[in-house]
mmCIF file of all heavy atoms in Angstrom:
data_model
loop_
_atom_site.group_PDB
_atom_site.id
_atom_site.type_symbol
_atom_site.label_atom_id
_atom_site.label_comp_id
_atom_site.label_asym_id
_atom_site.label_seq_id
_atom_site.Cartn_x
_atom_site.Cartn_y
_atom_site.Cartn_z
ATOM 1 N N LEU A 230 23.206 34.139 13.998
ATOM 2 C CA LEU A 230 22.672 35.495 13.824
ATOM 3 C C LEU A 230 22.309 36.129 15.163
ATOM 4 O O LEU A 230 22.298 37.345 15.298
ATOM 5 C CB LEU A 230 21.430 35.472 12.927
ATOM 6 C CG LEU A 230 21.632 35.033 11.486
ATOM 7 C CD1 LEU A 230 20.339 35.117 10.726
ATOM 8 C CD2 LEU A 230 22.678 35.871 10.817
ATOM 9 N N THR A 231 21.997 35.315 16.146
ATOM 10 C CA THR A 231 21.642 35.879 17.445
ATOM 11 C C THR A 231 22.888 36.286 18.222
ATOM 12 O O THR A 231 22.980 37.388 18.750
ATOM 13 C CB THR A 231 20.840 34.858 18.264
ATOM 14 O OG1 THR A 231 19.768 34.401 17.467
ATOM 15 C CG2 THR A 231 20.285 35.480 19.525
ATOM 16 N N PHE A 232 23.835 35.386 18.281
ATOM 17 C CA PHE A 232 24.984 35.626 19.145
ATOM 18 C C PHE A 232 26.231 36.083 18.406
ATOM 19 O O PHE A 232 27.133 36.653 19.006
ATOM 20 C CB PHE A 232 25.346 34.341 19.897
ATOM 21 C CG PHE A 232 24.276 33.848 20.819
ATOM 22 C CD1 PHE A 232 23.547 32.731 20.511
ATOM 23 C CD2 PHE A 232 24.004 34.530 21.986
ATOM 24 C CE1 PHE A 232 22.554 32.283 21.373
ATOM 25 C CE2 PHE A 232 23.018 34.090 22.846
ATOM 26 C CZ PHE A 232 22.297 32.966 22.536
ATOM 27 N N GLY A 233 26.310 35.794 17.140
ATOM 28 C CA GLY A 233 27.566 36.014 16.433
ATOM 29 C C GLY A 233 28.428 34.773 16.588
ATOM 30 O O GLY A 233 28.312 34.048 17.569
ATOM 31 N N GLN A 234 29.291 34.573 15.596
ATOM 32 C CA GLN A 234 30.114 33.378 15.574
ATOM 33 C C GLN A 234 30.929 33.207 16.856
ATOM 34 O O GLN A 234 30.964 32.140 17.460
ATOM 35 C CB GLN A 234 31.028 33.434 14.352
ATOM 36 C CG GLN A 234 32.126 32.412 14.312
ATOM 37 C CD GLN A 234 31.602 31.024 14.107
ATOM 38 O OE1 GLN A 234 30.550 30.832 13.527
ATOM 39 N NE2 GLN A 234 32.341 30.038 14.581
ATOM 40 N N ALA A 235 31.573 34.296 17.306
ATOM 41 C CA ALA A 235 32.515 34.181 18.416
ATOM 42 C C ALA A 235 31.835 33.677 19.691
ATOM 43 O O ALA A 235 32.433 32.933 20.464
ATOM 44 C CB ALA A 235 33.176 35.530 18.676
ATOM 45 N N THR A 236 30.593 34.069 19.884
ATOM 46 C CA THR A 236 29.879 33.615 21.079
ATOM 47 C C THR A 236 29.224 32.262 20.849
ATOM 48 O O THR A 236 29.222 31.411 21.733
ATOM 49 C CB THR A 236 28.796 34.638 21.478
ATOM 50 O OG1 THR A 236 29.375 35.934 21.458
ATOM 51 C CG2 THR A 236 28.265 34.362 22.849
ATOM 52 N N ALA A 237 28.669 32.063 19.650
ATOM 53 C CA ALA A 237 27.969 30.814 19.354
ATOM 54 C C ALA A 237 28.902 29.616 19.511
ATOM 55 O O ALA A 237 28.477 28.536 19.900
ATOM 56 C CB ALA A 237 27.386 30.854 17.940
ATOM 57 N N GLU A 238 30.176 29.836 19.228
ATOM 58 C CA GLU A 238 31.170 28.770 19.378
ATOM 59 C C GLU A 238 31.241 28.205 20.786
ATOM 60 O O GLU A 238 31.618 27.064 20.980
ATOM 61 C CB GLU A 238 32.565 29.344 19.078
ATOM 62 C CG GLU A 238 33.015 29.201 17.669
ATOM 63 C CD GLU A 238 34.344 29.921 17.457
ATOM 64 O OE1 GLU A 238 34.969 30.349 18.458
ATOM 65 O OE2 GLU A 238 34.741 30.053 16.316
ATOM 66 N N THR A 239 30.893 29.039 21.765
ATOM 67 C CA THR A 239 31.099 28.619 23.146
ATOM 68 C C THR A 239 29.989 27.706 23.664
ATOM 69 O O THR A 239 30.105 27.158 24.746
ATOM 70 C CB THR A 239 31.191 29.843 24.086
ATOM 71 O OG1 THR A 239 29.951 30.552 24.029
ATOM 72 C CG2 THR A 239 32.313 30.777 23.671
ATOM 73 N N PHE A 240 28.916 27.564 22.910
ATOM 74 C CA PHE A 240 27.807 26.742 23.388
ATOM 75 C C PHE A 240 27.925 25.291 22.928
ATOM 76 O O PHE A 240 28.394 25.026 21.824
ATOM 77 C CB PHE A 240 26.473 27.276 22.862
ATOM 78 C CG PHE A 240 26.114 28.638 23.376
ATOM 79 C CD1 PHE A 240 26.097 29.723 22.529
ATOM 80 C CD2 PHE A 240 25.800 28.829 24.711
ATOM 81 C CE1 PHE A 240 25.756 30.977 22.993
ATOM 82 C CE2 PHE A 240 25.467 30.079 25.182
ATOM 83 C CZ PHE A 240 25.436 31.149 24.326
ATOM 84 N N ILE A 241 27.451 24.382 23.777
ATOM 85 C CA ILE A 241 27.361 22.983 23.334
ATOM 86 C C ILE A 241 26.094 22.791 22.505
ATOM 87 O O ILE A 241 26.066 22.047 21.539
ATOM 88 C CB ILE A 241 27.375 22.034 24.552
ATOM 89 C CG1 ILE A 241 28.739 22.109 25.233
ATOM 90 C CG2 ILE A 241 27.096 20.597 24.125
ATOM 91 C CD1 ILE A 241 28.938 21.127 26.347
ATOM 92 N N PHE A 242 25.016 23.487 22.896
ATOM 93 C CA PHE A 242 23.774 23.428 22.124
ATOM 94 C C PHE A 242 23.369 24.846 21.716
ATOM 95 O O PHE A 242 22.526 25.466 22.375
ATOM 96 C CB PHE A 242 22.658 22.774 22.953
ATOM 97 C CG PHE A 242 23.048 21.460 23.530
ATOM 98 C CD1 PHE A 242 23.210 21.301 24.887
ATOM 99 C CD2 PHE A 242 23.279 20.374 22.703
ATOM 100 C CE1 PHE A 242 23.583 20.089 25.424
ATOM 101 C CE2 PHE A 242 23.657 19.160 23.227
ATOM 102 C CZ PHE A 242 23.816 19.016 24.589
ATOM 103 N N PRO A 243 23.963 25.355 20.645
ATOM 104 C CA PRO A 243 23.724 26.761 20.286
ATOM 105 C C PRO A 243 22.260 27.079 20.026
ATOM 106 O O PRO A 243 21.777 28.129 20.446
ATOM 107 C CB PRO A 243 24.538 26.941 19.002
ATOM 108 C CG PRO A 243 25.501 25.823 18.979
ATOM 109 C CD PRO A 243 24.862 24.697 19.705
ATOM 110 N N TYR A 244 21.550 26.171 19.364
ATOM 111 C CA TYR A 244 20.164 26.493 19.036
ATOM 112 C C TYR A 244 19.327 26.608 20.294
ATOM 113 O O TYR A 244 18.493 27.499 20.428
ATOM 114 C CB TYR A 244 19.560 25.452 18.081
ATOM 115 C CG TYR A 244 18.252 25.920 17.511
ATOM 116 C CD1 TYR A 244 18.233 26.760 16.411
ATOM 117 C CD2 TYR A 244 17.039 25.580 18.097
ATOM 118 C CE1 TYR A 244 17.050 27.239 15.901
ATOM 119 C CE2 TYR A 244 15.841 26.060 17.605
ATOM 120 C CZ TYR A 244 15.858 26.887 16.496
ATOM 121 O OH TYR A 244 14.675 27.377 16.007
ATOM 122 N N VAL A 245 19.577 25.711 21.233
ATOM 123 C CA VAL A 245 18.840 25.746 22.503
ATOM 124 C C VAL A 245 19.112 27.066 23.219
ATOM 125 O O VAL A 245 18.195 27.690 23.766
ATOM 126 C CB VAL A 245 19.247 24.547 23.378
ATOM 127 C CG1 VAL A 245 18.566 24.617 24.730
ATOM 128 C CG2 VAL A 245 18.896 23.250 22.685
ATOM 129 N N ALA A 246 20.373 27.507 23.176
ATOM 130 C CA ALA A 246 20.721 28.776 23.822
ATOM 131 C C ALA A 246 19.983 29.931 23.157
ATOM 132 O O ALA A 246 19.518 30.858 23.836
ATOM 133 C CB ALA A 246 22.226 28.999 23.751
ATOM 134 N N ALA A 247 19.861 29.874 21.833
ATOM 135 C CA ALA A 247 19.157 30.945 21.123
ATOM 136 C C ALA A 247 17.682 30.953 21.499
ATOM 137 O O ALA A 247 17.082 32.013 21.682
ATOM 138 C CB ALA A 247 19.327 30.783 19.612
ATOM 139 N N VAL A 248 17.087 29.773 21.618
ATOM 140 C CA VAL A 248 15.667 29.697 21.991
ATOM 141 C C VAL A 248 15.475 30.191 23.427
ATOM 142 O O VAL A 248 14.477 30.824 23.747
ATOM 143 C CB VAL A 248 15.137 28.256 21.816
ATOM 144 C CG1 VAL A 248 13.725 28.123 22.354
ATOM 145 C CG2 VAL A 248 15.157 27.864 20.356
ATOM 146 N N ASP A 249 16.458 29.929 24.280
ATOM 147 C CA ASP A 249 16.396 30.408 25.664
ATOM 148 C C ASP A 249 16.233 31.914 25.740
ATOM 149 O O ASP A 249 15.640 32.435 26.677
ATOM 150 C CB ASP A 249 17.705 30.056 26.390
ATOM 151 C CG ASP A 249 17.581 28.749 27.121
ATOM 152 O OD1 ASP A 249 16.443 28.348 27.402
ATOM 153 O OD2 ASP A 249 18.616 28.134 27.414
ATOM 154 N N GLY A 250 16.788 32.612 24.778
ATOM 155 C CA GLY A 250 16.771 34.074 24.817
ATOM 156 C C GLY A 250 15.484 34.696 24.310
ATOM 157 O O GLY A 250 15.324 35.904 24.355
ATOM 158 N N ILE A 251 14.550 33.860 23.829
ATOM 159 C CA ILE A 251 13.303 34.415 23.292
ATOM 160 C C ILE A 251 12.447 34.945 24.417
ATOM 161 O O ILE A 251 12.266 34.288 25.429
ATOM 162 C CB ILE A 251 12.511 33.334 22.536
ATOM 163 C CG1 ILE A 251 13.328 32.792 21.383
ATOM 164 C CG2 ILE A 251 11.201 33.899 22.022
ATOM 165 C CD1 ILE A 251 12.665 31.627 20.717
ATOM 166 N N ASN A 252 11.936 36.124 24.231
ATOM 167 C CA ASN A 252 11.118 36.742 25.265
ATOM 168 C C ASN A 252 9.780 37.144 24.660
ATOM 169 O O ASN A 252 9.709 38.071 23.873
ATOM 170 C CB ASN A 252 11.857 37.971 25.806
ATOM 171 C CG ASN A 252 11.140 38.583 26.959
ATOM 172 O OD1 ASN A 252 10.518 37.869 27.744
ATOM 173 N ND2 ASN A 252 11.195 39.893 27.057
ATOM 174 N N ILE A 253 8.727 36.420 25.006
ATOM 175 C CA ILE A 253 7.402 36.806 24.509
ATOM 176 C C ILE A 253 6.524 37.048 25.714
ATOM 177 O O ILE A 253 6.221 36.130 26.473
ATOM 178 C CB ILE A 253 6.740 35.706 23.674
ATOM 179 C CG1 ILE A 253 7.752 35.052 22.759
ATOM 180 C CG2 ILE A 253 5.620 36.262 22.858
ATOM 181 C CD1 ILE A 253 7.139 33.903 22.010
ATOM 182 N N SER A 254 6.114 38.281 25.882
ATOM 183 C CA SER A 254 5.376 38.585 27.113
ATOM 184 C C SER A 254 3.956 38.054 27.059
ATOM 185 O O SER A 254 3.356 37.786 28.088
ATOM 186 C CB SER A 254 5.387 40.084 27.360
ATOM 187 O OG SER A 254 5.093 40.757 26.175
ATOM 188 N N TRP A 255 3.384 37.894 25.860
ATOM 189 C CA TRP A 255 1.986 37.463 25.804
ATOM 190 C C TRP A 255 1.814 35.950 25.906
ATOM 191 O O TRP A 255 0.710 35.455 26.037
ATOM 192 C CB TRP A 255 1.297 37.982 24.548
ATOM 193 C CG TRP A 255 2.038 37.750 23.260
ATOM 194 C CD1 TRP A 255 2.857 38.635 22.634
ATOM 195 C CD2 TRP A 255 2.048 36.568 22.452
ATOM 196 N NE1 TRP A 255 3.360 38.077 21.492
ATOM 197 C CE2 TRP A 255 2.881 36.814 21.352
ATOM 198 C CE3 TRP A 255 1.416 35.330 22.547
ATOM 199 C CZ2 TRP A 255 3.121 35.863 20.362
ATOM 200 C CZ3 TRP A 255 1.656 34.383 21.569
ATOM 201 C CH2 TRP A 255 2.505 34.655 20.491
ATOM 202 N N LEU A 256 2.913 35.220 25.860
ATOM 203 C CA LEU A 256 2.791 33.771 25.977
ATOM 204 C C LEU A 256 2.735 33.404 27.458
ATOM 205 O O LEU A 256 3.479 33.938 28.264
ATOM 206 C CB LEU A 256 3.996 33.102 25.313
ATOM 207 C CG LEU A 256 3.762 31.686 24.834
ATOM 208 C CD1 LEU A 256 2.835 31.679 23.644
ATOM 209 C CD2 LEU A 256 5.078 31.053 24.445
ATOM 210 N N MET A 257 1.838 32.498 27.823
ATOM 211 C CA MET A 257 1.697 32.196 29.246
ATOM 212 C C MET A 257 2.878 31.409 29.797
ATOM 213 O O MET A 257 3.096 31.373 30.991
ATOM 214 C CB MET A 257 0.390 31.452 29.517
ATOM 215 C CG MET A 257 0.273 30.160 28.766
ATOM 216 S SD MET A 257 -1.407 29.548 28.745
ATOM 217 C CE MET A 257 -1.493 28.750 30.311
ATOM 218 N N PHE A 258 3.645 30.787 28.937
ATOM 219 C CA PHE A 258 4.775 30.011 29.441
ATOM 220 C C PHE A 258 6.057 30.838 29.357
ATOM 221 O O PHE A 258 6.320 31.494 28.363
ATOM 222 C CB PHE A 258 4.946 28.737 28.635
ATOM 223 C CG PHE A 258 3.726 27.892 28.637
ATOM 224 C CD1 PHE A 258 2.975 27.735 27.495
ATOM 225 C CD2 PHE A 258 3.313 27.269 29.801
ATOM 226 C CE1 PHE A 258 1.829 26.969 27.499
ATOM 227 C CE2 PHE A 258 2.165 26.510 29.812
ATOM 228 C CZ PHE A 258 1.418 26.351 28.659
ATOM 229 N N ASP A 259 6.822 30.752 30.422
ATOM 230 C CA ASP A 259 8.025 31.571 30.476
ATOM 231 C C ASP A 259 9.147 30.954 29.658
ATOM 232 O O ASP A 259 9.863 31.635 28.947
ATOM 233 C CB ASP A 259 8.428 31.732 31.934
ATOM 234 C CG ASP A 259 9.460 32.823 32.091
ATOM 235 O OD1 ASP A 259 9.321 33.838 31.400
ATOM 236 O OD2 ASP A 259 10.403 32.648 32.879
ATOM 237 N N ARG A 260 9.279 29.646 29.780
ATOM 238 C CA ARG A 260 10.401 29.008 29.096
ATOM 239 C C ARG A 260 9.893 28.065 28.014
ATOM 240 O O ARG A 260 9.560 26.909 28.271
ATOM 241 C CB ARG A 260 11.239 28.208 30.100
ATOM 242 C CG ARG A 260 12.017 29.110 31.012
ATOM 243 C CD ARG A 260 13.028 28.306 31.764
ATOM 244 N NE ARG A 260 13.924 29.202 32.479
ATOM 245 C CZ ARG A 260 14.960 28.792 33.170
ATOM 246 N NH1 ARG A 260 15.238 27.508 33.250
ATOM 247 N NH2 ARG A 260 15.728 29.653 33.780
ATOM 248 N N ILE A 261 9.841 28.559 26.812
ATOM 249 C CA ILE A 261 9.329 27.721 25.740
ATOM 250 C C ILE A 261 10.353 26.671 25.324
ATOM 251 O O ILE A 261 10.013 25.706 24.668
ATOM 252 C CB ILE A 261 8.914 28.546 24.514
ATOM 253 C CG1 ILE A 261 9.967 29.589 24.240
ATOM 254 C CG2 ILE A 261 7.578 29.157 24.678
ATOM 255 C CD1 ILE A 261 9.757 30.276 22.948
ATOM 256 N N THR A 262 11.599 26.869 25.745
ATOM 257 C CA THR A 262 12.637 25.897 25.400
ATOM 258 C C THR A 262 12.214 24.492 25.810
ATOM 259 O O THR A 262 12.433 23.527 25.091
ATOM 260 C CB THR A 262 13.930 26.225 26.158
ATOM 261 O OG1 THR A 262 14.031 27.610 26.308
ATOM 262 C CG2 THR A 262 15.115 25.699 25.428
ATOM 263 N N MET A 263 11.614 24.422 26.995
ATOM 264 C CA MET A 263 11.219 23.126 27.536
ATOM 265 C C MET A 263 10.270 22.400 26.593
ATOM 266 O O MET A 263 10.448 21.222 26.312
ATOM 267 C CB MET A 263 10.532 23.391 28.866
ATOM 268 C CG MET A 263 10.639 22.276 29.837
ATOM 269 S SD MET A 263 12.309 22.126 30.386
ATOM 270 C CE MET A 263 12.166 22.888 31.978
ATOM 271 N N PHE A 264 9.270 23.117 26.098
ATOM 272 C CA PHE A 264 8.295 22.490 25.206
ATOM 273 C C PHE A 264 8.961 22.045 23.915
ATOM 274 O O PHE A 264 8.736 20.957 23.418
ATOM 275 C CB PHE A 264 7.161 23.473 24.894
ATOM 276 C CG PHE A 264 6.361 23.819 26.090
ATOM 277 C CD1 PHE A 264 6.688 24.902 26.866
ATOM 278 C CD2 PHE A 264 5.298 23.021 26.465
ATOM 279 C CE1 PHE A 264 5.958 25.210 27.992
ATOM 280 C CE2 PHE A 264 4.563 23.318 27.590
ATOM 281 C CZ PHE A 264 4.895 24.413 28.357
ATOM 282 N N PHE A 265 9.781 22.930 23.423
ATOM 283 C CA PHE A 265 10.478 22.644 22.176
ATOM 284 C C PHE A 265 11.316 21.374 22.321
ATOM 285 O O PHE A 265 11.253 20.462 21.493
ATOM 286 C CB PHE A 265 11.367 23.844 21.840
ATOM 287 C CG PHE A 265 12.147 23.703 20.579
ATOM 288 C CD1 PHE A 265 11.485 23.692 19.368
ATOM 289 C CD2 PHE A 265 13.515 23.587 20.599
ATOM 290 C CE1 PHE A 265 12.197 23.575 18.193
ATOM 291 C CE2 PHE A 265 14.233 23.461 19.435
ATOM 292 C CZ PHE A 265 13.569 23.455 18.228
ATOM 293 N N LEU A 266 12.068 21.311 23.414
ATOM 294 C CA LEU A 266 12.953 20.170 23.600
ATOM 295 C C LEU A 266 12.177 18.881 23.799
ATOM 296 O O LEU A 266 12.517 17.843 23.233
ATOM 297 C CB LEU A 266 13.848 20.407 24.813
ATOM 298 C CG LEU A 266 14.882 21.491 24.592
ATOM 299 C CD1 LEU A 266 15.715 21.679 25.826
ATOM 300 C CD2 LEU A 266 15.773 21.120 23.425
ATOM 301 N N LEU A 267 11.104 18.961 24.602
ATOM 302 C CA LEU A 267 10.343 17.737 24.846
ATOM 303 C C LEU A 267 9.741 17.207 23.558
ATOM 304 O O LEU A 267 9.702 15.998 23.328
ATOM 305 C CB LEU A 267 9.272 17.985 25.902
ATOM 306 C CG LEU A 267 9.856 18.100 27.307
ATOM 307 C CD1 LEU A 267 8.783 18.453 28.307
ATOM 308 C CD2 LEU A 267 10.535 16.795 27.716
ATOM 309 N N CYS A 268 9.278 18.121 22.693
ATOM 310 C CA CYS A 268 8.756 17.681 21.402
ATOM 311 C C CYS A 268 9.839 16.957 20.624
ATOM 312 O O CYS A 268 9.622 15.870 20.078
ATOM 313 C CB CYS A 268 8.278 18.873 20.576
ATOM 314 S SG CYS A 268 6.857 19.664 21.270
#
Side-chain angles (χ1 to χ4, degrees):
Chain A
L230 296 182
T231 308
F232 297 108
Q234 169 69 27
T236 313
E238 267 174 10
T239 62
F240 295 112
I241 293 186
F242 308 112
Y244 192 83
V245 176
V248 173
D249 266 339
I251 300 173
N252 185 34
I253 319 176
S254 46
W255 49 264
L256 205 70
M257 59 196 278
F258 303 111
D259 193 39
R260 288 192 171 184
I261 44 170
T262 327
M263 208 69 103
F264 295 91
F265 180 68
L266 290 179
L267 286 176
C268 293

